[in-house]
């Protein structure tokens, strides 16, 4: 038996010594470097399905921007209902798949998982009007905060910060409702699209604006107040990672900054650790900050060098 190559020639499988390679890969999978779950084989959530789901959700939230521009007052509710029905059915299946990986049972009860997935999806659907309200506040913050913005449509279709926040708002809702794996996948899809990395566990208030946005990183336990504005390459990260007596990292502890209301953080600033940036403060470009600052502070790179 032969296989065609890209240049049209043919080679036998034995040419590549595949028998040995396949055997070594099997040993790696099953013994040497085994990372597989030892219970029943579980089907992973699908990134492709989640992309379709998010597209459906944003079309239901903003039908004429992300759905169909020719919708009328008579047809828009039917479009939203039909889109949500299909999208939420798809979402429930992906939630079910994701829950398999957060279950402590080696072989989780399928009926219980399905019921839990439906319950999470039902609660998620009920939160969609609130999520839309937050997204509208984010869009309005972008429009009022960027003199280059010419329309709401431009912001919603062209601004990577707005798109990243949309993915974050949806993912955060799922994260809170008990579907963290799926939330992380949705956030990562948004990260791939925009270059903006927002962990779905972060807490972010209304009227959030990321201007330009490329390279922004917001960690899992960050807390951001209302009317906060970030520019490109801002990092809200952890300063250190606490470990237990065996040296294993302790997960879930607060380790990222708290940014209070009405704060502006300019390009390239790096803010690390569980510190607080007081309300109304301005953090200048390229500042490296590891200590709290009081409300109304104006921190520049030159000031930090003098400390």
């Amino acid at each position: 038996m032969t296989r065609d190559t890209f240049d049209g020639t043919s080679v036998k499988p034995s040419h590549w010594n595949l028998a040995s390679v396949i055997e070594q890969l099997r040993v790696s999978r099953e013994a040497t470097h085994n990372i597989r779950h030892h219970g029943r084989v579980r089907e992973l959530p699908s990134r492709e399905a989640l992309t379709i789901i998010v597209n459906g959700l944003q079309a239901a939230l903003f039908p004429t921007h992300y759905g169909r521009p020719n919708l009328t007052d008579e047809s828009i509710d039917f479009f939203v209902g039909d889109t949500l029905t299909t999208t939420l059915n798809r979402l429930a299946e992906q939630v079910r798949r994701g829950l398999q990986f957060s279950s402590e049972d080696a072989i989780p009860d399928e009926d219980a998982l399905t019921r839990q997935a439906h319950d999470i999806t039902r609660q998620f659907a009920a939160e969609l009007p609130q999520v839309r309200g937050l997204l509208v506040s984010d869009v309005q913050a972008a429009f009022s905060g960027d003199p280059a913005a010419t329309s709401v449509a431009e912001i919603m279709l062209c601004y990577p910060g707005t798109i990243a926040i949309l993915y974050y708002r949806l993912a955060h809702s799922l994260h809170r409702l008990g579907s963290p794996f799926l939330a992380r996948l949705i956030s990562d899809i948004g990260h791939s699209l925009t270059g903006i990395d927002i962990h779905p566990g972060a807490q972010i208030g209304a009227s959030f604006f990321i201007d330009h946005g490329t390279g922004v990183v917001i960690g899992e336990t960050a807390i951001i107040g209302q009317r906060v504005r970030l520019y490109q390459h801002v990092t809200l990260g952890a300063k250190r990672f606490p470990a237990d007596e065996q040296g294993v990292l302790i997960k879930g502890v607060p380790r990222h900054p708290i940014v209070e209301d009405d704060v502006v953080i300019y390009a390239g600033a790096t803010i690390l650790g569980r510190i607080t940036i007081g309300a109304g403060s301005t953090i200048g470009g390229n500042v490296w900050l590891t200590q709290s600052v009081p409300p109304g502070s104006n921190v520049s790179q030159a000031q930090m060098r003098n400390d």
Side-chain angles (χ1 to χ4, degrees), residues 142-154:
F143 186 73
S144 62
D146 185 1
T150 62
S151 68
V152 166
E154 179 189 9

Side-chain angles (χ1 to χ4, degrees), residues 180-245:
F181 186 13
L182 212 65
R184 195 69 180 91
L185 279 170
I186 290 173
S187 288
D188 190 58
I189 295 169
H191 179 201
S192 299
L193 290 171
T194 64
I196 297 168
D197 186 1
I198 308 175
H199 194 285
Q203 301 176 45
I204 303 177
S207 301
F208 183 47
F209 177 32
I210 303 177
D211 201 353
H212 303 297
T214 303
V216 166
V217 176
I218 301 174
E220 176 191 16
T221 64
I223 299 175
I224 299 175
Q226 299 186 64
R227 299 175 300 279
V228 170
R229 183 192 310 177
L230 308 183
Y231 287 81
Q232 65 270 25
H233 294 287
V234 166
T235 296
L236 303 179
K239 184 179 180 182
R240 59 177 61 89
F241 304 98
D244 62 19
E245 295 178 353

Side-chain angles (χ1 to χ4, degrees), residues 277-296:
I277 308 302
S281 294
T282 298
I283 309 301
N286 297 315
V287 165
W288 179 279
L289 191 59
T290 58
Q291 59 190 25
S292 297
V293 298

Side-chain angles (χ1 to χ4, degrees), residues 15-300:
H15 179 80
W16 308 116
N17 193 26
L18 287 187
S20 173
V21 174
I22 293 168
E23 169 64 17
Q24 291 178 61
L25 287 174
R26 184 184 62 79
V27 171
S28 177
R29 285 195 313 272
E30 298 183 4
T32 315
H33 311 111
N34 186 358
I35 60 172
R36 290 190 300 169
H37 178 68
H38 294 291
R40 179 180 52 79
V41 175
R42 300 170 293 180
E43 190 171 9
L44 285 161
S46 164
R47 290 175 67 95
E48 293 76 13
L50 286 173
T51 298
I52 294 170
I53 287 166
V54 173
N55 289 340
L57 290 171
Q58 63 185 17
L61 292 174
F62 301 98
T64 59
H65 287 92
Y66 298 124
R68 289 181 7 212
N70 62 342
L71 291 169
T72 65
D73 290 341
E74 291 74 25
S75 64
I76 194 166
D77 283 345
F78 177 83
F79 171 81
V80 170
D82 184 60
T83 301
L84 280 179
T85 299
T86 302
T87 300
L88 293 173
N89 285 337
R90 289 172 173 160
L91 177 62
E93 168 59 17
Q94 297 304 310
V95 171
R96 185 193 66 79
R97 293 187 188 187
L99 289 174
Q100 296 179 104
F101 295 86
S102 58
S103 173
E104 296 180 358
D105 300 327
I107 305 179
D109 181 84
E110 284 294 332
D111 290 338
L113 278 180
T114 299
R115 288 193 299 270
Q116 186 181 0
H118 286 179
D119 186 51
I120 289 172
T121 305
R122 191 179 302 109
Q123 294 178 68
F124 175 78
E127 291 190 357
L128 287 176
Q130 179 185 356
V131 170
R132 187 181 190 280
L134 286 169
L135 289 168
V136 168
S137 77
D138 301 327
V139 171
Q140 290 172 336
F143 186 73
S144 62
D146 185 1
T150 62
S151 68
V152 166
E154 179 189 9
I155 290 166
M156 296 183 72
L157 297 176
C158 305
Y159 278 43
T162 299
I163 295 167
I165 293 168
L166 187 152
Y167 274 76
Y168 157 77
R169 298 281 189 205
L170 295 171
H172 179 67
S173 180
L174 287 168
H175 188 276
R176 283 192 312 98
L177 293 171
S179 187
F181 186 13
L182 212 65
R184 195 69 180 91
L185 279 170
I186 290 173
S187 288
D188 190 58
I189 295 169
H191 179 201
S192 299
L193 290 171
T194 64
I196 297 168
D197 186 1
I198 308 175
H199 194 285
Q203 301 176 45
I204 303 177
S207 301
F208 183 47
F209 177 32
I210 303 177
D211 201 353
H212 303 297
T214 303
V216 166
V217 176
I218 301 174
E220 176 191 16
T221 64
I223 299 175
I224 299 175
Q226 299 186 64
R227 299 175 300 279
V228 170
R229 183 192 310 177
L230 308 183
Y231 287 81
Q232 65 270 25
H233 294 287
V234 166
T235 296
L236 303 179
K239 184 179 180 182
R240 59 177 61 89
F241 304 98
D244 62 19
E245 295 178 353
Q246 286 73 42
V248 179
L249 292 182
I250 301 173
K251 300 188 178 184
V253 297
R255 60 195 183 277
H256 299 100
I258 298 171
V259 180
E260 295 183 342
D261 297 345
D262 301 299
V263 169
V264 178
I265 305 177
Y266 283 98
T270 299
I271 302 172
L272 302 180
R274 193 57 162 188
I275 64 174
T276 298
I277 308 302
S281 294
T282 298
I283 309 301
N286 297 315
V287 165
W288 179 279
L289 191 59
T290 58
Q291 59 190 25
S292 297
V293 298
S297 297
N298 193 335
V299 182
S300 69

